[in-house]
Structures are given as C-alpha cells and as structure tokens.
Amino acid sequence: MVGLGPRRQPSRKGSMADVPKDLLREIRHLEELFTIDTAKLKAITEHFVSELTKGLTEEGGSIPMNPTWCMGFPNGYETGTFLALDMGGTNLRVCEVILPEEKGEFDIIQSKYRMPEELKTGTADELWGYIADCLQQFIEYHHEGEELDQLPLGFTFSYPASQDYIDHGVLQRWTKGFDIDGVEGKDVVPPFEEALKERGVPIRLTALINDTTGTLIASAYTDTEVKIGCIFGTGCNAAYMENCGSIPKLAHMNLPPDTLMAINCEWGAFDNEHVILPRTPYDVVIDKESPRPGQQAFEKMIAGLYLGELFRLVLVDLHDNKEIHIFEGQDIGTLRKPYSLDASFLSAVEDDPFENLSETHDLLASKLSLRATKPELELCRRLAELIGTRAARLSACGVAAICKKKDYKTAHVGADGSVFNKYPHFKARGAQALREIFDWEPKKGGKSARDPVEIVAAEDGSGVGAALIAALTIKRVQEGQLAGIKNADAMLKGTKAEKKPEEQV
Ligand code: GLC
C-alpha cells in the first residue's frame, strides 16, 4: 500500500478474510484517518522548515527554538568529575560522571529514585524539596565522610525553558502531563538552589539543559557524524547546532556569526495553529481533555504519553457510536478510564507473533476484562499499526525539516526515549518515511547499505551529555567566554575549577 511505510514483519499473514464487512469498513475508515502519504509528508516537512526558521526570529512562531548557551560540540578531550540530575516523568536519576583523559571515554555511577505520581500535580516546594533530598542521599551514600568541594551539576530539565543564561531557565509551560502550580513563567533554578542550600548539599548548578541537547552532545562525543539529537519518549523533541548568525533573536548579543549554539527546538509545539497536520477527531479529544489544550499539537500525535490514549479513544468510539459496536454487550468500564493504556500496550499488540493474535486476546482480557472476537483482534492489531506508523512517519518530518533547513546531505541523528527504543518497527518506519521525503533511490547493496540520514541509538544524554555540557561551560568560563553566563565567579566558586591547576588534585 502506498505511503504506509514498511508493513509489519511477516511473522503472521494477518488475513482480513474472516472480518465481517461492516467491521472491515471501519478499519478502512481508520486507515484513511491515520495514514499519511508521501505527498503529505513532504508538505508537512516544507511547512516545518519555515516554522523552524520563524521560531528563530525576534517575533517568533509557535516552535520556541530556545537558544541553550551550549556553544559548540565537545572535542572528546573534556575531563573532570560532574554530577548529572535528570528529572524525568517516572524516575529521578542522579549520576556521577567521570570524564577521563582518554578521548570519548566516560565512567558513570548512578542511582534512580521513583518520581511519586502525586509530585507531578503537587506544589513547587514539594517538587524541589524531593529532588534536593535525593541529591543529598546520593552524595551521602557515595561520598560518606569526605570533605567535598562544590560539585558542578548538569541538570536535565526536559521541559521548555527560555534561557537567558545557561544556568537559569524560565519554564514556558509544563508539558507531558505535569501540572505543578507556581512554576510556569518563573525561573526554576533559584527555588531549586534554595532547597539545596537549606539542606547544605555541596552542589553548584553549572548548566540547566534539555534532554535533547544532552542527547545531541553525548552522541556527538562518540560519533562526530551526529548533527541532531532527538527524544521520542513520553514527549517528543529535538535539538541541533545553529550558527549564531542565523538566530535573529540573538542579534543584540553581537555573537560571531559562525559561532555555534545548540537550539532546543521544542518542536512538540509545531502546528499549534492547526494548519497542516491531519488531525483526527481523536486527536481533537486528546487535546481538549489535556491539562494544556492548544499546546504541543505535534507531540500529542507522536509521543508515548498519547499513543495508548489514542488507541483507547478509538475503541470506546467504536463501542459506543458506530454501528458495529465492538465488544457488544460487555462492560467496557476499565477501557473508559482516561490514560488507562500506555504505549507499551500498543507495543505488545504489535509484537503479538501469533496468527490468531492470542497474546492480544489475553492482554485485552487481563488489562481490560474484555473478550474480543477474532475480527475485533484484527481491528486492534491494525489500529495499533496505524497509530504507531503515523507517529514514526510524523517524527521523520521533523528530522527531515532540520536537515533541509541546515542543508545537511548526510547526518546521524542520535535518538533516545522509550518509543524509539521499545516500540516495534518505529526505526524502520521512520527510515522509510525519510526515504519518501527525500526521494532517495532504493538502497543498493542490501541490508548493509546506508541511508544518507540515519536515526541511530543515542548515548546517554541526561548523564554523559549533561556532564559534558557542564564541562564545556566551565572551560568556556575559564577561557573568559562569558556569553550566556550570569555570574562567572559564582559559577566557579568553591569548585575545583576555581583553584589553580596545580591545586586541582
Ligand atoms: C517535551 C518537553 C521537551 C522534551 C521532550 C522530550 O516535549 O517539552 O522539553 O525535550 O518532551 O522529553
């Protein structure tokens, strides 16, 4: 079928022969709703390029295109000991990263702490207090009884923050289902530092970074072909290096035009004004019922947080409103609960290796107390494929748009996140979409042949990437390059970097 990308692997034939006509009609309708053909991919990509450019102007557009003050790539010879903190949706991760003398090497120790669900909708004080407690625990555990210098910290805060300085950031709005009062529109660093100070934790925040920027830098540390960092996880976003001369909104800083600046695109906001993305009625519901309607239009069609919910909304609609009434006569109470299915549910449906879809059958029974007929199982499988394929193909539009904007003929794109790493066929479907967008000839040389732009598994952005950005920042401050640094003395104060080289043991 044109434009659907690679079909599922031939583990099963997936015959629709025994699917009754009316159910088949619904399946065909869903295919129309969720399929994005080559022409549409190209149109979305073109519009994306102009929106990326617009986001860099003084007036701005819907994509924030946040300058990060991470200026340039690592050369592989960064050294030192750094802390890295990652405030994700499910976990809080604290790492100590050692960058040794050897090029491109690193050592890492880490601890994970659960992010209690209540924190995501609690108060700002609770959030910062909890994070500071975890950092304190980490340091007490790993450095018991030691006399410590202030440890430089790279803090991965994976939400849109506008940054006048690398060690500060004003949260533009919560994304990914977070909804904590009193943080939006404010600098997140002072209350965080306050919580550390109250507890006497010896940490100096050196860089506030986005997960995409961390991914870009960590991946470029080990693979110099990497030009873009992407996250396809609970949220969806990318970062790349722009020349300061192409960032009109930074013109007042008079930075050399060739100097590089990592841009955290926050591309989840692409098409918030709904001019190009082919939204289905289900996408409209997701948006309306979300904590921030009208925001993150692109992300809501792609990210892991929403894939299961899309699937759920379609099934409820087919039960309630369509003539076919799937799961007829059954209690769909569990299915009615918003966000009761996550992307791993869809992954499992797509991964079901059996011709009779018995794993899908059992999953529906155990998770939702539903007994599905064989045709209903075929519908579930097709629906999961459609939602997963659409997500991968739309993601490729963003990657292609950055390549077109920068005129990259070849590139590696470092990608991370649960959807990229775990969702079946996501990589292959994304690669297929890139081939369609760029009209690449079919690969000669079989499997080993490479596409000019390849999305590859990233290095650890919020650990190694955050440490590298802290290292690059300290180096820059020591060299007197102070663009985007609020207070150079304060940044180094009490850390090893403040001491003369001979004292730095
Ligand atoms: C959301 C956040 C963004 C982050 C992405 C991936 O889009 O707004 O900052 O990079 O999720 O985690």
Side-chain angles (χ1 to χ4, degrees), residues 116-138:
E117 206 49 43
E118 320 79 80
L119 269 193
K120 294 186 199 168
T121 50
T123 69
D125 280 350
E126 284 162 1
L127 175 74
W128 301 125
Y130 181 77
I131 297 177
D133 284 341
C134 293
L135 281 165
Q136 184 170 31
Q137 263 187 44
F138 181 89

Side-chain angles (χ1 to χ4, degrees), residues 157-161 173-176 210-212 231-238 264 266-268 296 299:
F157 181 73
S158 307
Y159 307 88
R173 63 193 172 280
W174 284 117
T175 52
K176 302 189 281 195
N210 188 258
D211 50 359
T212 54
I231 301 287
F232 303 112
T234 308
C236 166
N237 187 19
N264 162 22
E266 289 296 333
W267 76 17
Q296 304 295 95
E299 177 162 273

